[in-house]
Amino acid sequence: MIEECLAVEFRVREDDCPLAQASRAVGVEIDAEPPQRRSDSYDLLEFRSVRSEALTDRLDDDDRISHLYVSRTGERSRYRCLSKHPCVVRTLIDGGLIVETLRYRADGTTISGAVVGRDVLEGVMEAAGETVGVTLERIYPRQSDAEEPPNQRWDLTPAQEECLRTALEMGYFTIPRETTSEAVADELGISKSAFLERLRRGEQVLFERIFR
């Protein structure tokens, strides 16, 4: 059994991926899920951004993108589409990288993930070396595998953890607040009252653990 797991972060400049080019063109940051390869060789892309008609129009006009779907909650948009363009991230995945987060910004793309074992790392690095503009920014032993998941470590229920994580990602806790309780509730697919109840119960659990 392989016990070593390494966290890695790659930086891609001048990425020709449709999402990367759209982010640079309109100056909007995009947070994406790892692409899901379908049997027809298309990748299913799911991603989010602040609400931007310019971004939507740019993607809608891109011939490499098909079946673009947009849902909006408050000041944020959630996108789903298909792409057959051979993106850099797909090259790294094929080399063995387990992608966890993708962030497209005007100054470049950040790909964070993990590799299991040094031999897999060599395969990923070989794939990265054959791709123009890809650099390894960070690599370090992954400590989280030896830790409990957040919901177990802090005695949160899975629903409370999801509620807190989504609220944080959407900017609910920032000052000034970037979203509303209604928007977060819509993103979670629950009512506003259910969201606020989970939020308060989750906060109570965290505060009790911190100040106990």
Side-chain angles (χ1 to χ4, degrees):
M1 181 176 69
I2 298 175
E3 298 181 350
E4 185 178 34
C5 186
L6 301 170
V8 294
E9 182 178 290
F10 289 95
R11 184 80 164 165
V12 187
R13 292 176 173 80
E14 299 303 320
D15 187 357
D16 64 351
C17 167
L19 299 190
Q21 291 185 339
S23 177
R24 290 198 301 270
V26 301
V28 172
E29 185 173 299
I30 298 173
D31 292 310
E33 302 293 329
Q36 301 178 44
R37 175 61 57 84
R38 303 193 336 163
S39 60
D40 57 6
S41 296
Y42 280 88
D43 283 334
L44 172 62
L45 307 181
E46 297 188 51
F47 48 99
R48 301 172 181 171
S49 73
V50 296
R51 190 165 181 171
S52 170
E53 296 302 327
L55 177 61
T56 301
D57 291 343
R58 171 82 184 198
L59 293 169
D60 200 31
D61 291 339
D62 195 323
D63 293 336
R64 299 169 296 176
I65 295 292
S66 63
H67 298 85
L68 180 67
Y69 172 78
V70 187
S71 61
R72 298 179 176 89
T73 54
E75 296 302 315
R76 294 186 66 82
S77 295
R78 184 172 184 173
Y79 298 82
R80 292 181 178 87
C81 66
L82 296 179
S83 172
K84 207 169 185 177
H85 183 74
C87 294
V88 170
V89 65
R90 173 53 59 185
T91 302
L92 297 179
I93 290 174
D94 291 344
L97 177 66
I98 303 171
V99 175
E100 296 175 338
T101 62
L102 283 162
R103 178 160 292 174
Y104 299 94
R105 297 187 298 189
D107 61 349
T109 302
T110 301
I111 304 173
S112 300
V115 293
V116 182
R118 293 281 175 178
D119 55 339
V120 178
L121 175 61
E122 291 177 5
V124 175
M125 292 303 299
E126 182 178 346
E130 296 174 354
T131 306
V132 176
V134 179
T135 57
L136 179 64
E137 295 288 297
R138 292 197 300 163
I139 179 169
Y140 52 93
R142 184 148 191 166
Q143 301 298 327
S144 59
D145 291 339
E147 300 175 354
E148 295 178 315
N151 62 314
Q152 295 179 20
R153 186 164 68 253
W154 297 100
D155 291 334
L156 294 166
T157 67
Q160 289 168 354
E161 181 190 355
E162 181 186 26
C163 174
L164 289 164
R165 188 185 301 277
T166 303
L168 179 65
E169 291 174 350
M170 293 181 65
Y172 185 78
F173 297 113
T174 61
I175 301 174
R177 186 166 287 171
E178 296 178 357
T179 190
T180 65
S181 55
E182 290 88 351
V184 181
D186 287 343
E187 181 71 19
L188 291 167
I190 59 178
S191 66
K192 175 183 175 181
S193 60
F195 161 67
L196 292 174
E197 180 179 355
R198 292 180 191 178
L199 182 71
R200 292 181 182 124
R201 288 182 183 275
E203 289 174 333
Q204 180 180 0
V205 170
L206 291 176
F207 293 154
E208 286 178 349
R209 291 295 301 272
I210 293 172
F211 298 111
R212 179 181 297 174

